[in-house]
Amino acid sequence: MQSLVDFINGIIWSPALIYLCLGAGLFYSITTRFMQVRHFGEMIRLLFAGQSSEKGISSFQALAVSLSGRVGTGNIAGVAAAIGFGGPGAVFWMWVVAFLGASTAYYESTLAQIYKEEDEGQFRGGPAYYIEKAMGQKWYAWIFAISTIVACGLLLPGVQSNSIGNAVEAAFGSGDVIETTLGTFSSAKIITGAIVCVVLAFIIFGGVKRIAHFTQIVVPFMALGYIVIAFVVILLNIDMVPSVFATIVGDAFTPMAGVGAAIGWGVKRGVYSNEAGQGTGPHAAAAAQVDHPAQQGMVQAFSIYIDTLLVCSATAFMIIITGAFNVHGAEGAFLVQNLPSDIAANSPVFTQMAIETAMPGLGKPFVAIALFFFSFTTILAYYYIAETNVAYIHRTIHVPGLMFVLKLFLLSSVFYGAVKTADLAWALGDVGVGLMAWLNIIGILIIFFMAKPALKALRDYELQKKAGVKEYVFDPVKLGIKGADYWEERMKRKGQKSPDLGEDSSAGTAKSTL
């Protein structure tokens, strides 16, 4: 099984996908004139500007839901894996993919807002919706929807629960060994898997509102707590910070693990962590109640900074400062070996030992608790994403009980993931991430060259902001954007009129931003 999954991964995560992720980010950064820099202040303002409604959630709640997907085991175990297989230089490439990926996140999330729908009293949207409406290719949208249901409903939840199980076992011991027909497992992992499934079932059977309310409380708390501990570790070793920067930047261009390893693992784990271009973030973005699609696009762009430049960097600095890492070379050899050889790089142990080195007695239990919250909220986000794509399919094929079946499959995946090996869990997760990234990035590139809807939305928002309007209005007809049915009906329902912004407001002048 492991060899088959590794073979598939080798095809999906070829250099073509790695450079496609970087290239798409650079392309959108240039075409939006680096909106992730120009609108940094506006991103922060918009975080707390929107309000929830009966049909939608607030911008902050949408940020929390999407961050619950972005901030997960990738920020702890994923960073460790990037360093373990790509060397410290992989961290630099994680930064690069985050900076460029912020513009990709803006683009895909704005598309999700433009082409969202009202479905049974709540907003739904995401790549499947905007691929169908903007590209006019329903078959391609179905492929994405089915791939995402499999990835987020079956493959990716196991990665998160696996990290929880490994961290709990490392922190509190394995307990008794239990033999079953499926293999031999520790009682600690079985108990952990059962507890996670029970709590998860309570929340996912409560719907998107319960998920949003839970994540808006837990996500800021868990991210802030983790960063505080990381800063304490860094402050205890503040004299080493300059050398850590030098190591990361120097190894990025003269990599100990090879150029391909540093860039490959940096981009792979960067995309896995911040999800820019992967197509998962737009689902939560579409659920937000905003006055203009570009607003939620900017909020989602900011989430990339929180995920990678804050949380991932905190993990990386702790690991490198304390030397709690190994770097794997070819054929099982170690280029750097500071820890026992039996410690897997695809696990949270590097991070646990880093904190343990600086703060004895705290590292293992703290990371276990942090991973529980990080990974648990990510599983919630995966469920919501899978649910949205089931809802998309349900528009055409009405099969009763589909949502219930999805919940059962996801809970089974979570329990099995908590007890199986880390390598297989991560390999299956990489298949899911890579497949969605291929489909989504190609889709949004085609949409860009067909109509440039997200770019037109950005230009329209900038003009309204410059004019000092009191209430932003989005008129897709005026901008030449077709298929944005929700926004067209909203204009009619509210009796809104587009503000007179002069000749620059015409759809054609959006080309001037290229």
Side-chain angles (χ1 to χ4, degrees):
M1 180 67 174
Q2 181 73 52
S3 58
L4 175 62
V5 175
D6 288 341
F7 174 75
I8 295 173
N9 258 326
I11 297 174
I12 293 176
W13 280 101
S14 65
L17 178 57
I18 290 169
Y19 292 115
L20 179 64
C21 292
L22 288 172
L26 179 61
F27 177 76
Y28 291 123
S29 295
I30 293 172
T31 53
T32 61
R33 295 175 295 146
F34 289 89
M35 59 74 54
Q36 66 267 52
V37 178
R38 294 189 299 112
H39 292 297
F40 185 80
E42 184 71 357
M43 293 177 190
I44 297 175
R45 186 191 71 81
L46 289 170
L47 283 181
F48 309 101
Q51 299 293 324
S52 61
S53 68
E54 292 183 359
K55 298 176 182 177
I57 57 181
S58 69
S59 291
F60 183 77
Q61 287 176 323
L63 174 74
V65 173
S66 62
L67 268 177
S68 66
R70 300 187 201 280
V71 179
T73 190
N75 299 82
I76 297 178
V79 174
I83 295 172
F85 293 109
V91 177
F92 175 84
W93 294 106
M94 291 184 75
W95 292 341
V96 171
V97 80
F99 175 72
L100 297 177
S103 63
T104 307
Y106 161 78
Y107 199 86
E108 62 184 0
S109 297
T110 301
L111 286 178
Q113 267 289 327
I114 292 174
Y115 298 105
K116 68 182 180 182
E117 297 180 356
E118 288 184 25
D119 180 17
E120 297 183 357
Q122 62 180 294
F123 292 135
R124 296 279 191 188
Y129 292 82
Y130 59 66
I131 287 171
E132 177 186 328
K133 294 183 176 184
M135 282 179 60
Q137 302 297 326
K138 194 170 184 178
W139 65 270
Y140 193 86
W142 267 69
I143 291 175
F144 181 89
I146 293 171
S147 299
T148 303
I149 292 169
V150 172
C152 292
L154 293 176
L155 302 181
L156 291 167
V159 177
Q160 305 298 326
S161 60
N162 180 265
S163 290
I164 296 174
N166 286 338
V168 169
E169 186 177 57
F172 306 109
S174 60
D176 297 329
V177 175
I178 300 175
E179 293 185 5
T180 70
T181 55
L182 297 175
T184 302
F185 308 107
S186 72
S187 60
K189 287 189 173 183
I190 292 176
I191 294 171
T192 300
I195 292 174
V196 171
C197 285
V198 169
V199 179
L200 180 64
F202 171 75
I203 297 175
I204 65 176
F205 278 94
V208 65
K209 288 285 186 178
R210 186 175 292 177
I211 294 173
H213 287 306
F214 180 83
T215 55
Q216 77 170 345
I217 296 172
V218 173
V219 171
F221 166 78
M222 71 180 187
L224 182 60
Y226 185 76
I227 291 171
V228 166
I229 292 294
F231 273 117
V232 170
V233 174
I234 293 169
L235 287 173
L236 290 173
N237 301 273
I238 193 68
D239 58 311
M240 296 182 63
V241 171
S243 64
V244 171
F245 264 114
T247 298
I248 291 173
V249 175
D251 190 55
F253 299 99
T254 56
M256 63 176 69
V259 175
I263 298 177
W265 279 97
V267 174
K268 181 188 289 190
R269 287 292 167 253
V271 171
Y272 190 96
S273 175
N274 63 49
E275 301 184 1
Q278 184 180 317
T280 48
H283 296 88
Q289 176 76 53
V290 292
D291 293 326
H292 197 286
Q295 293 175 323
Q296 192 58 30
M298 292 180 186
V299 170
Q300 294 301 317
F302 185 73
S303 72
I304 306 298
Y305 291 151
I306 297 174
D307 173 87
T308 303
L309 300 186
L310 279 180
V311 185
C312 283
S313 295
T315 300
F317 270 72
M318 285 192 295
I319 290 174
I320 298 172
I321 280 175
T322 59
F325 66 95
N326 298 328
V327 178
H328 294 253
E331 299 179 359
F334 285 97
L335 300 175
V336 173
Q337 186 175 5
N338 300 324
L339 302 175
S341 59
D342 61 340
I343 294 179
N346 274 334
S347 77
V349 178
F350 282 9
T351 311
Q352 286 177 309
M353 296 191 73
I355 299 177
E356 192 74 24
T357 300
M359 307 169 72
L362 179 65
K364 291 182 179 180
F366 173 76
V367 172
I369 295 170
L371 258 177
F372 174 81
F373 285 109
F374 276 41
S375 301
F376 185 81
T377 53
T378 299
I379 295 170
L380 287 177
Y382 287 155
Y383 167 73
Y384 174 69
I385 293 164
E387 179 191 84
T388 299
N389 284 278
V390 169
Y392 171 79
I393 289 175
H394 198 258
R395 295 156 71 236
T396 304
I397 300 177
H398 298 280
V399 180
L402 272 180
M403 293 297 186
F404 183 76
V405 171
L406 171 65
K407 292 178 174 72
L408 292 182
F409 272 113
L410 182 129
L411 291 170
S412 300
S413 173
V414 167
F415 182 79
Y416 183 60
V419 300
K420 67 184 177 182
T421 63
D423 288 343
L424 181 58
W426 276 95
L428 288 170
D430 283 340
V431 169
V433 171
L435 194 58
M436 286 190 293
W438 267 113
L439 293 168
N440 183 59
I441 292 176
I442 290 174
I444 61 178
L445 283 171
I446 293 174
I447 291 170
F448 177 89
F449 287 109
M450 287 179 65
K452 305 179 181 65
L455 194 61
K456 292 176 181 178
L458 177 62
R459 178 62 173 164
D460 180 60
Y461 185 79
E462 289 173 340
L463 288 171
Q464 291 188 50
K465 182 183 177 185
K466 184 178 180 181
V469 299
K470 294 182 178 180
E471 181 179 356
Y472 287 92
V473 173
F474 181 68
D475 185 352
V477 176
K478 181 179 180 180
L479 297 175
I481 298 174
K482 299 179 180 179
D485 300 333
Y486 164 77
W487 293 98
E488 289 185 28
E489 292 174 4
R490 175 188 166 108
M491 290 285 293
K492 294 176 182 177
R493 186 172 63 251
K494 287 194 169 188
Q496 293 177 322
K497 294 183 179 180
S498 298
D500 185 9
L501 303 173
E503 296 181 359
D504 286 343
S505 63
S506 63
T509 57
K511 298 177 182 178
S512 65
T513 63
L514 295 175

